[in-house]
């Protein structure tokens, strides 16, 4: 665990929260169990499917887990009881809830380590002055666990391979706009299916069919 060894801590109650249009991978329950076995027992939040800016790296933590520096979208996630308490203490939500949680994640990196890897409020300045190089989507430059425990006030993780994605299809197209009948819905379906491709500065962990 981040703060203690897992074997010295009792399992904590958690809940899995999914959007109503989330598409789950095959053997979701087995894969989720494997993921939970790798999560530190003092974690707060773990995203199962997400989007992120390309310049917000996911730092490799274990075989299946990464540490995000910023995330969007709440297609699916695991929340611990302590994580729920932390979010409740941070109310009210300001703006879209996924961006609100994303900002809590990014606040972990408002420090010298965050600036060094090109995230945090001084990231743009660092890039302009050549202080750091652009980082890849997944970086192996992980701090010692004791340092991570010190930096991560909101102990957020993300699966490196998504366990769910957001459905993009007929139902989503119909919800987008039903005023134009079948032809309009089919047009909307094509638009929605391609909109993620146009967001060239965003990386998605998975795309449903």
């Amino acid at each position: 665990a981040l703060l203690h060894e897992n074997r010295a801590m009792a399992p904590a109650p958690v809940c899995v929260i999914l959007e109503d249009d989330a598409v789950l991978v095959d053997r979701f329950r087995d894969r989720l169990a494997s993921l939970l076995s790798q999560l530190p027992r003092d974690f707060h939040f773990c995203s199962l499917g997400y989007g992120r800016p390309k310049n917000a790296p996911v730092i490799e933590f274990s075989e299946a887990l990464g540490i995000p520096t910023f995330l969007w979208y709440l297609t699916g996630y695991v929340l611990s009881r302590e994580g729920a308490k932390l979010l409740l203490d941070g109310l009210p939500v300001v703006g879209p809830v996924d961006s609100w949680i994303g900002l809590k994640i990014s606040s972990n990196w408002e420090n010298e380590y965050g600036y060094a890897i090109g995230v945090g409020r001084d990231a743009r300045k660092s890039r302009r002055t050549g202080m750091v190089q652009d980082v890849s989507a997944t970086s192996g430059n992980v701090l010692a666990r004791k340092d991570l425990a010190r930096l991560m006030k909101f102990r957020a993780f993300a699966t490196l391979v998504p366990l769910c994605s957001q459905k993009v299809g007929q139902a989503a197209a119909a919800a987008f706009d039903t005023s134009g009948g079948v032809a309009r819905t089919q047009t909307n379906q094509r638009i929605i299916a391609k909109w993620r491709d146009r967001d060239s500065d965003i990386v998605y962990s998975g795309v449903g069919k």
Side-chain angles (χ1 to χ4, degrees):
L2 281 178
L3 301 182
H4 306 283
E5 292 295 330
N6 266 359
R7 61 178 176 271
M9 300 178 66
V14 302
C15 61
V16 178
I17 301 171
L18 300 167
E19 291 194 356
D20 58 2
D21 60 349
V23 179
L24 307 183
V25 297
D26 293 338
R27 299 176 52 247
F28 174 81
R29 182 176 295 183
D30 293 339
R31 295 184 185 187
L32 178 63
S34 176
L35 185 74
L36 290 173
S37 72
Q38 296 185 38
L39 270 170
R41 288 184 177 172
D42 54 357
F43 88 101
H44 290 145
F45 170 95
C46 181
S47 181
L48 304 179
Y50 53 88
R52 62 173 178 81
K54 283 187 175 179
N55 62 354
V58 176
I59 302 168
E60 191 171 323
F61 178 78
S62 70
E63 181 181 354
L65 285 170
I67 302 173
T69 53
F70 190 87
L71 294 179
W72 283 309
Y73 308 117
L74 298 175
T75 307
Y77 58 97
V78 184
L79 189 66
S80 71
R81 181 166 59 187
E82 290 304 312
K85 290 179 180 178
L86 186 146
L87 293 178
L88 286 172
D89 288 343
L91 292 176
V93 173
V94 178
V97 66
D98 58 337
S99 296
W100 181 70
I101 288 179
L103 290 173
K104 289 190 176 298
I105 292 172
S106 69
S107 69
N108 288 331
W109 308 104
E110 298 296 345
N111 48 61
E112 292 304 316
Y113 181 70
Y115 306 152
I117 64 172
V119 298
R121 64 172 179 262
D122 286 346
R124 291 183 181 179
K125 178 181 178 182
S126 297
R127 285 198 174 90
R128 285 199 303 269
T129 59
M131 292 171 59
V132 298
Q133 300 296 320
D134 285 341
V135 292
S136 59
T138 301
S139 171
N141 298 322
V142 181
L143 289 176
R145 298 255 177 132
K146 65 177 182 179
D147 294 319
L148 285 172
R150 176 175 53 84
L151 296 176
M152 295 176 66
K153 305 304 182 187
F154 181 43
R155 295 191 287 274
F157 296 82
T159 178
L160 295 177
V161 177
L163 300 190
C164 65
S165 59
Q166 198 163 19
K167 185 174 182 180
V168 177
Q170 187 72 18
F176 180 58
D177 183 358
T178 59
S179 62
V182 174
R184 180 63 175 173
T185 299
Q186 290 174 342
T187 299
N188 292 339
Q189 186 175 2
R190 289 192 295 270
I191 292 172
I192 293 172
K194 294 178 180 179
W195 70 273
R196 293 180 173 182
D197 293 334
R198 295 199 298 272
D199 287 328
S200 58
D201 58 344
I202 299 176
V203 176
Y204 296 93
S205 63
V207 178
K209 301 298 183 182

